Amino acid sequence: MIFEGGSTLPFKFSIDEYLKLAHCSLYLLEGLPDFLGCRQLISSFYNRDGKKQCSSGISNAFANVFWMYNNFPENYNMVLSKFFEIKSGQVMYMHKANYERMFENERFRPIRDTYCSFVIKKIDAGEIRRDFSIFKTSPELLEKRNFVRKEEARTITGVSNDKLLKIARSGSLKILVKEGGKGKYLINRNSLNKAITSEHALLTKREVGLLLGIHVTSVEALITSGMLTPICSNTRQYAVFDVLEVDNILKEFRGKVSNQNVVGTPFRQLIYGYNKFSLSIIKILEFTRRGLLNPFCMSGFGTLADNLYLESEVIECISLLRNDRQEKRGYYFAEVCTLLRIGEKGLHAVLKKHQINADLTIYFADGRKKRYFKCNTVDKIRYCIEKKKAN
């Protein structure tokens, strides 16, 4: 027998426990083909319409119960497979619920674990739904699934159906297509989590600006300079950016926290107030990387907009920019006047008389123009002025 002492089965139960096990198991076996070779359906409940009490049928049913738990779990899984294959609808739900009542007894824990493993495989195959009673009493079992339905994926992630389809087309999702139903498929949970995590790790241009505390046009400057790399996403119509790369920019160029009462020039004022000196956001970041600018801030959780800069360092950087510009482009017209100690009218006269042209002229949309004179041209102008003074 199956009760304690001399059992040939892998379990040791008392008589009461075995009777409880047998009674609940009969609900699974009811109406299934006989597993012992008899050409008849298993029938043990005679208090039904059209049923008659039959001792041989009852004894055969109990024999199938014994066989069901022998050679565990192979025979047990065969019974479960046949149960879900044959039974359906209200009868299946009622018999299954009556069988699962035995799992309230912790002594049946090994059987319950095997049963749970079986139904998890079934739900992964899309053959049963998550509204089974075993999942209601033990919702943690749903976390062991490898696949989820399309509808549930939308609920879990909060992503629209169209977005899910775009992610699926990009090849980021592992999908199991169900047989017999158009548009019915299951999504692998691991691939779904990775895809959604990747999507959340991508930022739009506007989000990058908010995270760094800069304008969208400044984000464009970061892209052009190569400090920020745009990513082409199969799920979006526009370029996106890696949140880790943006975070690294913030960590590198955000000012150090200072508790000292030091007056500094705000980040935005540097960009807009010193723009005429070509002190762009890229130059500010380059000077910071070279250690020529050492920003500080009052909080360690701010953005670049919270940075403050020492006026002395800013002036030194502007001087470097001016020298670099003079070397590459030349001097402004006004700088030539200051350098040669001559008025604007006088300089215009010298240029016109000796037909000296600027080395570079930049025309603006509003009609203004800016002229640059390189060192050789400035020396030529100086020679003409000194020659005039000598005469």
Side-chain angles (χ1 to χ4, degrees):
M1 294 296 293
I2 198 170
F3 49 84
E4 292 179 357
S7 172
T8 60
L9 298 182
F11 310 107
K12 290 184 178 181
F13 300 130
S14 66
I15 293 178
D16 290 340
E17 289 169 343
Y18 171 65
L19 291 176
K20 175 69 173 178
L21 172 69
H23 178 263
C24 292
S25 300
L26 289 175
Y27 283 101
L28 284 185
L29 294 167
E30 181 70 17
L32 300 185
D34 189 281
F35 291 94
L36 300 176
C38 296
R39 294 183 179 179
Q40 62 182 17
L41 299 180
I42 301 172
S43 179
S44 56
F45 300 106
Y46 57 87
N47 56 339
R48 301 287 191 272
D49 291 340
K51 294 281 187 176
K52 294 182 180 181
Q53 184 175 1
C54 178
S55 58
S56 62
I58 296 175
S59 63
N60 184 64
F62 274 90
N64 276 274
V65 170
F66 189 88
W67 177 90
M68 175 179 173
Y69 294 101
N70 194 20
N71 193 29
F72 190 85
E74 286 77 8
N75 293 356
Y76 182 71
N77 286 333
M78 286 177 61
V79 173
L80 291 178
S81 297
K82 188 61 69 174
F83 173 83
F84 286 106
E85 176 186 337
I86 294 179
K87 296 186 180 181
S88 61
Q90 185 177 357
V91 173
M92 185 268 288
Y93 276 91
M94 182 181 67
H95 286 183
K96 178 183 62 64
N98 284 325
Y99 174 71
E100 291 174 358
R101 285 188 304 175
M102 72 179 227
F103 295 142
E104 297 172 2
N105 190 332
E106 281 296 316
R107 292 277 289 156
F108 300 131
R109 168 67 66 173
I111 300 175
R112 181 185 183 278
D113 292 342
T114 304
Y115 178 80
C116 291
S117 297
F118 183 89
V119 294
I120 287 173
K121 291 179 181 178
K122 282 291 182 181
I123 196 173
D124 268 344
E127 298 177 11
I128 62 175
R129 300 182 64 87
R130 66 192 302 267
D131 59 357
F132 265 39
S133 55
I134 189 67
F135 297 128
K136 293 179 180 178
T137 56
S138 302
E140 69 277 1
L141 292 175
L142 293 172
E143 298 301 317
K144 297 181 180 181
R145 292 174 297 167
N146 294 317
F147 291 87
V148 294
R149 293 175 180 265
K150 175 178 63 177
E151 299 81 8
E152 190 179 355
R154 294 202 304 265
T155 303
I156 293 174
T157 61
V159 175
S160 66
N161 190 42
D162 291 340
K163 187 64 172 291
L164 273 178
L165 289 176
K166 289 180 180 180
I167 297 175
R169 293 192 188 104
S170 70
S172 301
L173 293 181
K174 293 182 181 179
I175 293 178
L176 176 66
V177 181
K178 288 182 61 179
E179 296 182 1
K182 185 178 179 181
K184 294 182 179 181
Y185 55 85
L186 302 171
I187 302 174
N188 182 271
R189 290 186 66 194
N190 289 335
S191 66
L192 177 64
N193 292 336
K194 289 181 181 179
I196 297 302
T197 300
S198 299
E199 282 293 311
H200 289 168
L202 298 176
L203 302 174
T204 64
K205 192 182 297 183
R206 179 177 176 275
E207 290 170 337
V208 172
L210 292 173
L211 190 61
L212 294 179
I214 60 178
H215 195 267
V216 175
T217 55
S218 296
V219 176
E220 285 285 358
L222 293 178
I223 298 171
T224 304
S225 68
M227 288 187 176
L228 195 59
T229 307
I231 301 173
C232 294
S233 173
N234 294 324
T235 62
R236 309 198 190 192
Q237 298 178 349
Y238 42 83
V240 289
F241 305 88
D242 188 350
V243 66
L244 293 178
E245 185 178 30
V246 177
D247 190 51
N248 288 335
I249 292 175
L250 190 59
K251 288 179 180 178
E252 181 179 2
F253 299 107
R254 184 168 52 198
K256 295 181 179 180
V257 180
S258 175
N259 296 324
Q260 299 179 0
N261 189 17
V262 182
V263 178
T265 304
F267 177 80
R268 294 185 186 278
Q269 186 177 333
L270 280 190
I271 295 178
Y272 301 112
Y274 293 83
N275 189 41
K276 60 182 179 181
F277 300 109
S278 300
L279 190 60
S280 64
I281 182 173
I282 302 303
K283 289 298 181 181
I284 293 173
L285 299 185
E286 287 179 354
F287 284 137
T288 302
R289 183 172 282 171
R290 291 166 57 185
L292 299 177
L293 286 177
N294 298 283
F296 59 94
C297 58
M298 301 305 167
S299 172
F301 303 98
T303 64
L304 298 182
D306 298 302
N307 284 0
L308 298 171
Y309 299 83
L310 294 175
E311 189 69 22
S312 58
E313 294 181 348
V314 174
I315 292 174
E316 181 63 27
C317 290
I318 291 175
S319 178
L320 289 174
L321 287 173
R322 182 186 293 113
N323 294 337
D324 183 64
R325 186 259 305 160
Q326 290 174 352
E327 184 178 337
K328 291 181 179 179
R329 287 189 173 184
Y331 293 87
Y332 293 135
F333 185 88
E335 290 176 331
V336 175
C337 291
T338 303
L339 188 65
L340 300 180
R341 296 181 180 179
I342 187 173
E344 291 187 6
K345 290 184 179 180
L347 183 56
H348 276 298
V350 173
L351 295 177
K352 183 177 181 180
K353 180 179 180 180
H354 298 279
Q355 296 183 345
I356 300 175
N357 297 319
D359 295 287
L360 175 66
T361 303
I362 297 177
Y363 295 91
F364 297 94
D366 58 2
R368 294 180 299 114
K369 65 180 179 180
K370 185 175 289 186
R371 291 180 290 179
Y372 296 90
F373 300 85
K374 292 189 176 181
C375 292
N376 293 336
T377 305
V378 174
D379 290 339
K380 185 178 180 180
I381 298 171
R382 180 185 286 108
Y383 173 78
C384 293
I385 294 173
E386 291 177 353
K387 184 178 178 181
K388 180 181 180 181
K389 290 180 179 180
N391 296 331

